[in-house]
PDB file of all heavy atoms in Angstrom:
ATOM      1  N   ARG A  70      54.717  66.273 131.842  1.00 97.00           N
ATOM      2  CA  ARG A  70      55.440  67.538 131.776  1.00 97.00           C
ATOM      3  C   ARG A  70      56.971  67.407 131.821  1.00 97.00           C
ATOM      4  O   ARG A  70      57.681  68.129 131.134  1.00 97.00           O
ATOM      5  CB  ARG A  70      54.964  68.443 132.919  1.00 97.00           C
ATOM      6  CG  ARG A  70      55.003  69.927 132.655  1.00 97.00           C
ATOM      7  CD  ARG A  70      54.239  70.634 133.779  1.00 97.00           C
ATOM      8  NE  ARG A  70      54.632  70.068 135.077  1.00 97.00           N
ATOM      9  CZ  ARG A  70      55.411  70.687 135.967  1.00 97.00           C
ATOM     10  NH1 ARG A  70      55.855  71.894 135.720  1.00 97.00           N
ATOM     11  NH2 ARG A  70      55.701  70.117 137.113  1.00 97.00           N
ATOM     12  N   ARG A  71      57.480  66.473 132.647  1.00 97.00           N
ATOM     13  CA  ARG A  71      58.921  66.389 132.865  1.00 97.00           C
ATOM     14  C   ARG A  71      59.622  65.457 131.871  1.00 97.00           C
ATOM     15  O   ARG A  71      60.846  65.336 131.887  1.00 97.00           O
ATOM     16  CB  ARG A  71      59.217  65.925 134.302  1.00 97.00           C
ATOM     17  CG  ARG A  71      58.536  66.788 135.354  1.00 97.00           C
ATOM     18  CD  ARG A  71      59.289  66.813 136.662  1.00 97.00           C
ATOM     19  NE  ARG A  71      58.985  68.025 137.414  1.00 97.00           N
ATOM     20  CZ  ARG A  71      59.711  69.145 137.345  1.00 97.00           C
ATOM     21  NH1 ARG A  71      60.779  69.218 136.569  1.00 97.00           N
ATOM     22  NH2 ARG A  71      59.371  70.202 138.061  1.00 97.00           N
ATOM     23  N   LEU A  72      58.876  64.810 131.002  1.00 98.00           N
ATOM     24  CA  LEU A  72      59.472  63.895 130.010  1.00 98.00           C
ATOM     25  C   LEU A  72      60.072  64.680 128.845  1.00 98.00           C
ATOM     26  O   LEU A  72      59.647  65.796 128.571  1.00 98.00           O
ATOM     27  CB  LEU A  72      58.406  62.938 129.469  1.00 98.00           C
ATOM     28  CG  LEU A  72      57.777  61.940 130.446  1.00 98.00           C
ATOM     29  CD1 LEU A  72      56.616  61.217 129.755  1.00 98.00           C
ATOM     30  CD2 LEU A  72      58.801  60.936 130.947  1.00 98.00           C
ATOM     31  N   PRO A  73      61.063  64.100 128.135  1.00 97.00           N
ATOM     32  CA  PRO A  73      61.538  64.736 126.902  1.00 97.00           C
ATOM     33  C   PRO A  73      60.413  64.796 125.873  1.00 97.00           C
ATOM     34  O   PRO A  73      59.518  63.942 125.873  1.00 97.00           O
ATOM     35  CB  PRO A  73      62.677  63.819 126.441  1.00 97.00           C
ATOM     36  CG  PRO A  73      62.565  62.570 127.237  1.00 97.00           C
ATOM     37  CD  PRO A  73      61.804  62.867 128.467  1.00 97.00           C
ATOM     38  N   GLU A  74      60.483  65.779 124.976  1.00 97.00           N
ATOM     39  CA  GLU A  74      59.358  66.058 124.086  1.00 97.00           C
ATOM     40  C   GLU A  74      58.985  64.897 123.172  1.00 97.00           C
ATOM     41  O   GLU A  74      57.813  64.681 122.870  1.00 97.00           O
ATOM     42  CB  GLU A  74      59.636  67.313 123.250  1.00 97.00           C
ATOM     43  CG  GLU A  74      59.369  68.619 123.970  1.00 97.00           C
ATOM     44  CD  GLU A  74      60.423  68.931 125.024  1.00 97.00           C
ATOM     45  OE1 GLU A  74      61.519  68.319 125.008  1.00 97.00           O
ATOM     46  OE2 GLU A  74      60.153  69.784 125.888  1.00 97.00           O
ATOM     47  N   ASP A  75      59.996  64.124 122.716  1.00 96.00           N
ATOM     48  CA  ASP A  75      59.640  62.988 121.838  1.00 96.00           C
ATOM     49  C   ASP A  75      58.830  61.940 122.590  1.00 96.00           C
ATOM     50  O   ASP A  75      57.931  61.323 122.026  1.00 96.00           O
ATOM     51  CB  ASP A  75      60.893  62.386 121.177  1.00 96.00           C
ATOM     52  CG  ASP A  75      61.946  61.950 122.176  1.00 96.00           C
ATOM     53  OD1 ASP A  75      61.907  62.425 123.331  1.00 96.00           O
ATOM     54  OD2 ASP A  75      62.796  61.121 121.814  1.00 96.00           O
ATOM     55  N   GLU A  76      59.133  61.784 123.891  1.00 97.00           N
ATOM     56  CA  GLU A  76      58.344  60.834 124.692  1.00 97.00           C
ATOM     57  C   GLU A  76      56.962  61.391 125.008  1.00 97.00           C
ATOM     58  O   GLU A  76      55.976  60.642 125.063  1.00 97.00           O
ATOM     59  CB  GLU A  76      59.090  60.476 125.987  1.00 97.00           C
ATOM     60  CG  GLU A  76      60.265  59.536 125.744  1.00 97.00           C
ATOM     61  CD  GLU A  76      61.032  59.200 127.016  1.00 97.00           C
ATOM     62  OE1 GLU A  76      60.384  58.944 128.055  1.00 97.00           O
ATOM     63  OE2 GLU A  76      62.278  59.201 126.972  1.00 97.00           O
ATOM     64  N   GLN A  77      56.885  62.704 125.209  1.00 97.00           N
ATOM     65  CA  GLN A  77      55.577  63.339 125.430  1.00 97.00           C
ATOM     66  C   GLN A  77      54.660  63.094 124.232  1.00 97.00           C
ATOM     67  O   GLN A  77      53.493  62.724 124.382  1.00 97.00           O
ATOM     68  CB  GLN A  77      55.741  64.850 125.649  1.00 97.00           C
ATOM     69  CG  GLN A  77      56.253  65.218 127.022  1.00 97.00           C
ATOM     70  CD  GLN A  77      56.171  66.720 127.283  1.00 97.00           C
ATOM     71  OE1 GLN A  77      55.194  67.385 126.939  1.00 97.00           O
ATOM     72  NE2 GLN A  77      57.212  67.261 127.903  1.00 97.00           N
ATOM     73  N   LEU A  78      55.239  63.288 123.028  1.00 97.00           N
ATOM     74  CA  LEU A  78      54.444  63.080 121.822  1.00 97.00           C
ATOM     75  C   LEU A  78      54.018  61.614 121.694  1.00 97.00           C
ATOM     76  O   LEU A  78      52.879  61.310 121.319  1.00 97.00           O
ATOM     77  CB  LEU A  78      55.245  63.507 120.586  1.00 97.00           C
ATOM     78  CG  LEU A  78      54.425  63.803 119.332  1.00 97.00           C
ATOM     79  CD1 LEU A  78      53.515  64.995 119.538  1.00 97.00           C
ATOM     80  CD2 LEU A  78      55.325  64.020 118.118  1.00 97.00           C
ATOM     81  N   ASP A  79      54.934  60.713 122.059  1.00 96.00           N
ATOM     82  CA  ASP A  79      54.600  59.290 121.996  1.00 96.00           C
ATOM     83  C   ASP A  79      53.492  58.937 122.991  1.00 96.00           C
ATOM     84  O   ASP A  79      52.669  58.051 122.725  1.00 96.00           O
ATOM     85  CB  ASP A  79      55.855  58.452 122.248  1.00 96.00           C
ATOM     86  CG  ASP A  79      55.673  57.010 121.776  1.00 96.00           C
ATOM     87  OD1 ASP A  79      55.174  56.821 120.644  1.00 96.00           O
ATOM     88  OD2 ASP A  79      55.987  56.081 122.542  1.00 96.00           O
ATOM     89  N   LYS A  80      53.468  59.640 124.115  1.00 97.00           N
ATOM     90  CA  LYS A  80      52.377  59.434 125.079  1.00 97.00           C
ATOM     91  C   LYS A  80      51.034  59.799 124.447  1.00 97.00           C
ATOM     92  O   LYS A  80      50.036  59.111 124.632  1.00 97.00           O
ATOM     93  CB  LYS A  80      52.607  60.293 126.331  1.00 97.00           C
ATOM     94  CG  LYS A  80      53.721  59.787 127.248  1.00 97.00           C
ATOM     95  CD  LYS A  80      53.237  58.641 128.120  1.00 97.00           C
ATOM     96  CE  LYS A  80      54.317  58.196 129.095  1.00 97.00           C
ATOM     97  NZ  LYS A  80      53.970  56.920 129.755  1.00 97.00           N
ATOM     98  N   LEU A  81      51.053  60.929 123.699  1.00 97.00           N
ATOM     99  CA  LEU A  81      49.825  61.325 122.997  1.00 97.00           C
ATOM    100  C   LEU A  81      49.442  60.269 121.966  1.00 97.00           C
ATOM    101  O   LEU A  81      48.265  59.892 121.846  1.00 97.00           O
ATOM    102  CB  LEU A  81      50.022  62.681 122.308  1.00 97.00           C
ATOM    103  CG  LEU A  81      48.801  63.220 121.547  1.00 97.00           C
ATOM    104  CD1 LEU A  81      47.691  63.605 122.514  1.00 97.00           C
ATOM    105  CD2 LEU A  81      49.167  64.411 120.672  1.00 97.00           C
ATOM    106  N   PHE A  82      50.442  59.761 121.251  1.00 97.00           N
ATOM    107  CA  PHE A  82      50.177  58.703 120.277  1.00 97.00           C
ATOM    108  C   PHE A  82      49.557  57.487 120.949  1.00 97.00           C
ATOM    109  O   PHE A  82      48.672  56.840 120.389  1.00 97.00           O
ATOM    110  CB  PHE A  82      51.481  58.298 119.568  1.00 97.00           C
ATOM    111  CG  PHE A  82      51.938  59.268 118.516  1.00 97.00           C
ATOM    112  CD1 PHE A  82      51.587  60.611 118.581  1.00 97.00           C
ATOM    113  CD2 PHE A  82      52.722  58.844 117.462  1.00 97.00           C
ATOM    114  CE1 PHE A  82      52.027  61.522 117.609  1.00 97.00           C
ATOM    115  CE2 PHE A  82      53.156  59.739 116.484  1.00 97.00           C
ATOM    116  CZ  PHE A  82      52.811  61.072 116.563  1.00 97.00           C
ATOM    117  N   ASP A  83      50.047  57.182 122.176  1.00 97.00           N
ATOM    118  CA  ASP A  83      49.511  56.038 122.931  1.00 97.00           C
ATOM    119  C   ASP A  83      48.020  56.192 123.205  1.00 97.00           C
ATOM    120  O   ASP A  83      47.272  55.210 123.170  1.00 97.00           O
ATOM    121  CB  ASP A  83      50.259  55.881 124.265  1.00 97.00           C
ATOM    122  CG  ASP A  83      51.452  54.944 124.134  1.00 97.00           C
ATOM    123  OD1 ASP A  83      51.427  54.083 123.230  1.00 97.00           O
ATOM    124  OD2 ASP A  83      52.392  55.067 124.932  1.00 97.00           O
TER     125      ASP A  83
END
Side-chain angles (χ1 to χ4, degrees):
Chain A
R70 210 169 45 107
R71 306 208 155 267
L72 295 173
E74 279 73 16
D75 56 340
E76 286 179 43
Q77 284 190 42
L78 200 64
D79 198 46
K80 287 280 184 192
L81 181 69
F82 283 26
D83 269 335

